[in-house]
Amino acid sequence: MPTRTLQIPTPDGQADAFAAFPDHGARHPGVLMYADGFGLRPVLRELARELAGHGYYVLVPHLFYRHGPAPLIDLPAHIGEDVRPAVMARLMPLIEAHSTDRVLRDADAYLRFLTTRPEVSPGPVAVTGYCIGGLWAVRTAAAHPGQVAAVAAFHGPVAADGPGLLAQLTARVHLAHAETDVSPEALGELNQALDAAGVDHTSEIYPGTVHGFTMSDTDAFNSAGLRRHWDRLLALLDGALAAGG
C-alpha cells in the first residue's frame, strides 16, 4: 500500500503529515484523520493504513506543527499508566494552545490540500478523530457543511462546545463514547440535542471501554472496542461516500 510523508501549507507554516491510500490507480474518497493528544505516531499510521485498505485516501496531519515536526517528544512504544501523567504534562500545553481559531484555520488548509491530491476523487470528504481530535473533527465538519459529508469522533469530548456546535452539523455523524467518559444521563442529553438539531447521527457508549480504547499503544486499549469502531466507521463512510475499492 502506498504511503507518503507530506508537507501541508498552512497560514502558519508547513504541517508535516502522513497519507495512505490504495495501491491501484483509481481515485478514492478523502478522509481527514485527527490524532489523539499523543499525536502522529505508529499507531495512527496503522489506523490510516487499515482505513485506506477499505478504499479511502487517508490524510493524518501533525496537529502541533507550530512547535516543530513530529515527534515533538520521545514517546515510549507503550504509553502505560505509569508514564502517562508525565507524558501528558508535556503535551497539555500544546493541546491548550491549539485554540478553536487554530483548529479552523488548519482545517481549511488540510481540506484544501486533501481535496487537491491527484489520488482523491471529486466530491465530499469525511473527517474522523480520536480523543481531543474527535472534538476538532466535529468543529471541522461544522465549519464545512458543504464539503464534509461524514464525521466520526471516538472517545472525544464532543459536548465541550455546547449544543450550538452540534446544531451546525449537516454531515452524518457517529459519536463513540467510552463507558468511563459519559454517563447514560449525559448521553441522553447529548442525543436529545442532536435530535433537536435534526442531525443524522448514531451516538453510543461502547460497553466495557475506558478513555482511549482505540489506541493499541496504551493501557486503555480494548480490542472489542476497536472492532466496534471499525464496524461503525466503515458503515458511516460507506453510507456517506462512495469508496473507490
Side-chain angles (χ1 to χ4, degrees):
M1 173 179 298
T3 62
R4 300 283 187 273
T5 299
L6 303 168
Q7 294 289 320
I8 304 174
T10 83
D12 298 327
Q14 297 281 323
D16 43 314
F18 176 81
F21 48 94
D23 59 4
H24 53 82
R27 300 172 78 183
H28 314 281
V31 179
L32 175 62
M33 179 181 286
Y34 285 123
D36 61 358
F38 294 125
L40 180 56
R41 61 195 192 283
V43 71
L44 267 297
R45 296 182 179 93
E46 179 182 326
L47 290 169
R49 284 191 292 266
E50 175 73 17
L51 183 53
H54 292 275
Y56 299 96
Y57 182 106
V58 186
L59 179 67
V60 191
H62 168 44
L63 303 173
F64 306 127
Y65 67 89
R66 291 173 179 84
H67 306 275
L72 289 173
I73 67 172
D74 292 327
L75 289 172
H78 185 83
I79 307 168
E81 289 305 311
D82 56 331
V83 299
R84 182 186 179 97
V87 171
M88 287 307 302
R90 298 183 65 185
L91 291 174
M92 193 55 68
L94 308 182
I95 296 171
E96 292 174 346
H98 204 64
S99 63
T100 300
D101 180 66
R102 283 187 176 183
V103 170
L104 296 182
R105 209 159 60 235
D106 288 347
D108 290 344
Y110 298 156
L111 290 175
R112 183 165 52 249
F113 185 87
L114 175 63
T115 56
T116 56
R117 295 302 89 203
E119 302 89 357
V120 174
S121 55
V125 300
V127 186
T128 186
Y130 303 90
C131 185
I132 191 63
L135 174 60
W136 297 341
V138 172
R139 288 176 179 171
T140 297
H144 295 270
Q147 192 171 27
V148 177
V151 60
F154 298 91
H155 46 83
V158 294
D161 289 356
L165 176 66
L166 302 176
Q168 298 174 48
L169 291 169
T170 60
R172 298 186 190 183
V173 176
H174 177 67
L175 304 178
H177 312 281
E179 201 169 68
T180 56
D181 279 350
V182 62
S183 67
E185 294 76 19
L187 178 65
E189 292 175 4
L190 173 63
N191 291 347
Q192 285 178 7
L194 290 164
D195 287 336
V199 177
D200 182 356
H201 73 280
T202 56
S203 174
E204 60 183 328
I205 294 171
Y206 284 26
T209 59
V210 299
H211 182 75
F213 61 84
T214 58
M215 297 295 148
S216 62
D217 61 350
T218 73
D219 284 351
F221 178 63
N222 181 297
S223 59
L226 181 63
R227 287 194 300 271
R228 192 183 187 104
H229 147 279
W230 284 122
D231 290 344
R232 298 296 194 267
L233 179 59
L234 293 172
L236 177 74
L237 299 183
D238 290 346
L241 307 173

